[in-house]
Amino acid sequence: MDLETIKELLNLPEIEVSKVRQTPEEVLIWVHIPDGRHRCPRCGRLHAKVTEVREIKVRDLSIFGKTCYLIVSKGRLHCPCSYRGYEALDFVNSYQKQTTRFSEFLFALCDRMTVMDAAGLMKVDWKRAYHADRQGLEQLKASVALPKMTFIGVDEIAFEKHHRYFTIVYDLADGNGTLYVGKDRTCQSLSDFFESLTPTQRESIQVVSMDMWDPYIRSVRQHLPHADIVFDRFHIKKHLNQSLDALRRSVVRHAPLQEKPFVKNKRWVLLKNQSNHTVRDKRALEQLKQINSPLYEAYLVKEQFDQFFTLQSEAQGKEFLKNWFEQIPQTLQPYFKTFYNMINRYLYGILTFFKHRITNAVAEGLNNKIKVLKRMAYGYRDYSYFQLKILRKCGYLKQASPVF
């Protein structure tokens, strides 16, 4: 194959091909910049000659199933702009011995599989694949602006043992996914996001859906005093289920021996919504009813609370909550007292549900995707890299393409 054909296949107009050599596993192509086209990387001036030349070995896309390397002759310039150094090579990635198109391809592989798999497929060290992926993600984050935000959700997710959390901000209105990932779940973690926004962006946020976590509440009130806070209905149900589960454990501990088989291992039956019960679940509830277990009464109390979210106004919601607790049997009220006190404490954000009727259901689904992303990599030691991967796979960077 002649050199002109090789040049056309390379599709790099700014270079000339000098020599080609093949081995059983590699293709080596010697290339150079023609005289008169040596360009200063500082001012862009073209030079006819260079003072000295050295060769660098650059990895390129494979040819015919063989690993391809470009042996690039790189010349040194003395430019009138006072630049003293080597000429610009636009097709070579900065600080990495590979072409920009090889970096783009490596990034595309890391975008679809693990870094180790991409490195093994392209026969490179895993660190090279990691740096290509990280470089692409950093360029994406720097070049892609945050989308318009009106309704956002705030949640936390554990990314490591011993209560290590990320603060996650989601778009609940336009389907842009994750907007921000911050370490820890403190007031400052969320404030860092709000402080990175422009005044116009902060003004556009009308509603924030979240759990009843005081550090997040303080941050939202400080930076978004105009926005409505809506406490997520699924987190409210979670606290109610915890009250029911505390009663279940107490009943199991004190149940007579003949009743223990009927009340043990009924946790998921009690916590399930009635519409999701199987025939087996209904049989288990009937057993609890027949032995007159307080667990069955507590289950009915939990099911009755679901009517709260079908009401039409804040006034109806207030009246319902008061009547709901008063109708709980006296023997069961101590188990639900903590939940009821919490409801009253955060009533302002619970009743705003009737005004906006939004939930963090989208956030819970994205949290599952984040957990899958973590398991695929068997965990991340570089937290900033994990944050970038979340924004890419589950957030507003997922549709963009980097420019290397």
Side-chain angles (χ1 to χ4, degrees):
M1 190 178 294
D2 61 67
L3 298 183
E4 283 300 319
T5 304
I6 294 291
K7 180 181 177 180
E8 290 181 11
L9 289 174
L10 285 177
N11 193 27
L12 296 172
E14 64 268 33
I15 61 97
E16 295 288 342
V17 178
S18 307
K19 183 174 63 173
V20 179
R21 189 179 75 192
Q22 296 187 53
T23 69
E25 296 182 352
E26 296 180 349
V27 176
L28 303 176
I29 304 174
W30 277 259
V31 300
H32 65 276
I33 305 294
D35 289 341
R37 295 168 62 182
H38 304 285
R39 187 168 58 83
C40 173
R42 178 181 295 175
C43 68
R45 185 193 302 260
L46 294 178
H47 293 257
K49 298 289 184 180
V50 291
T51 57
E52 61 182 83
V53 175
R54 71 182 181 95
E55 290 184 341
I56 58 174
K57 189 177 182 180
V58 177
R59 176 69 187 273
D60 198 8
L61 296 177
S62 301
I63 298 179
F64 308 128
K66 293 185 177 183
T67 302
C68 178
Y69 289 96
L70 303 182
I71 311 301
V72 184
S73 295
K74 189 176 184 180
R76 189 174 179 84
L77 302 173
H78 292 261
C79 186
C81 74
S82 77
Y83 174 78
R84 299 291 185 272
Y86 287 99
E87 63 185 309
L89 298 174
D90 293 335
F91 61 93
V92 178
N93 199 356
S94 301
Y95 307 111
Q96 298 192 50
K97 293 184 177 181
Q98 60 197 31
T99 61
T100 54
R101 61 190 179 191
F102 183 81
S103 295
E104 291 171 359
F105 186 68
L106 200 51
F107 173 80
L109 289 179
C110 293
D111 211 26
R112 291 161 176 79
M113 60 184 71
T114 65
V115 168
M116 291 295 292
D117 287 339
L121 187 62
M122 298 307 295
K123 300 178 183 178
V124 298
D125 185 74
W126 72 267
K127 290 183 180 179
R128 178 178 290 197
Y130 159 76
H131 286 301
D133 192 29
R134 187 184 183 101
Q135 179 188 6
L137 293 171
E138 289 174 343
Q139 289 180 355
L140 277 177
K141 188 176 180 183
S143 60
V144 178
L146 281 169
K148 182 180 179 181
M149 297 164 283
T150 53
F151 290 14
I152 64 172
V154 180
D155 202 1
E156 76 278 348
I157 183 172
F159 67 89
E160 199 178 57
K161 293 180 180 179
H162 311 299
H163 301 286
R164 302 289 181 87
Y165 293 94
F166 279 148
T167 292
I168 314 286
V169 179
Y170 307 90
D171 178 22
L172 300 180
D174 300 311
N176 292 304
T178 306
L179 301 172
Y180 168 78
V181 183
K183 201 171 179 183
D184 299 324
R185 55 169 183 167
T186 62
C187 178
Q188 188 58 46
S189 300
L190 185 56
S191 295
D192 288 342
F193 169 69
F194 293 135
E195 290 167 3
S196 69
L197 303 178
T198 65
T200 303
Q201 287 175 317
R202 288 196 291 269
E203 282 294 326
S204 68
I205 300 175
Q206 303 170 18
V207 182
V208 182
S209 177
M210 66 173 78
D211 190 6
M212 291 152 286
W213 181 241
D214 289 333
Y216 289 165
I217 296 171
R218 286 198 303 272
S219 179
V220 171
R221 284 178 166 170
Q222 178 183 352
H223 296 92
L224 306 176
H226 63 281
D228 289 337
I229 294 176
V230 179
F231 293 126
D232 181 47
R233 62 177 291 182
F234 297 104
H235 284 96
I236 296 172
K237 283 294 297 291
K238 176 183 175 182
H239 290 287
L240 176 60
N241 288 339
Q242 288 173 349
S243 299
L244 178 58
D245 202 40
L247 172 61
R248 180 192 63 83
R249 291 194 296 269
S250 177
V251 169
V252 170
R253 283 196 302 268
H254 299 97
L257 287 177
Q258 64 274 19
E259 292 185 6
K260 277 187 182 292
F262 298 102
V263 298
K264 199 172 183 182
N265 301 325
K266 296 295 189 295
R267 180 185 184 192
W268 300 116
V269 175
L270 294 168
L271 299 186
K272 269 186 186 179
N273 290 329
Q274 192 173 29
S275 58
N276 297 328
H277 279 159
T278 63
V279 174
R280 184 178 178 181
D281 295 335
K282 294 176 181 177
R283 192 181 302 119
L285 284 173
E286 189 62 30
Q287 290 174 341
L288 290 176
K289 181 179 179 180
Q290 289 175 358
I291 65 175
N292 199 25
S293 170
L295 278 178
Y296 184 76
E297 293 183 82
Y299 165 76
L300 295 179
V301 169
K302 185 208 76 166
E303 287 296 308
Q304 185 185 17
F305 186 83
D306 284 344
Q307 299 175 20
F308 173 77
F309 300 106
T310 65
L311 301 176
Q312 301 301 315
S313 67
E314 294 186 10
Q316 290 178 353
K318 283 183 181 180
E319 186 67 22
F320 174 88
L321 291 173
K322 180 181 177 182
N323 294 335
W324 172 80
F325 186 75
E326 290 178 350
Q327 291 172 8
I328 297 176
Q330 292 291 330
T331 55
L332 298 180
Q333 281 191 4
Y335 293 97
F336 292 95
K337 183 66 175 176
T338 301
F339 172 74
Y340 184 64
N341 290 339
M342 183 200 69
I343 289 291
N344 286 323
R345 179 183 175 188
Y346 297 104
L347 192 61
Y348 62 93
I350 294 173
L351 294 179
T352 50
F353 170 79
F354 300 110
K355 180 178 177 182
H356 301 286
R357 294 193 178 274
I358 65 169
T359 71
N360 260 6
V362 172
E364 296 304 323
L366 289 171
N367 282 352
N368 287 331
K369 292 182 70 173
I370 293 172
K371 291 174 184 177
V372 171
L373 183 64
K374 181 178 73 172
R375 286 196 295 269
M376 284 178 61
Y378 293 92
Y380 287 82
R381 287 181 290 181
D382 187 339
Y383 303 132
S384 60
Y385 177 52
F386 188 23
Q387 291 167 330
L388 290 170
K389 292 292 282 186
I390 292 172
L391 293 176
R392 174 63 175 173
K393 303 301 289 186
C394 311
Y396 72 101
L397 299 181
K398 57 189 174 186
Q399 302 297 337
S401 298
V403 178
F404 285 86

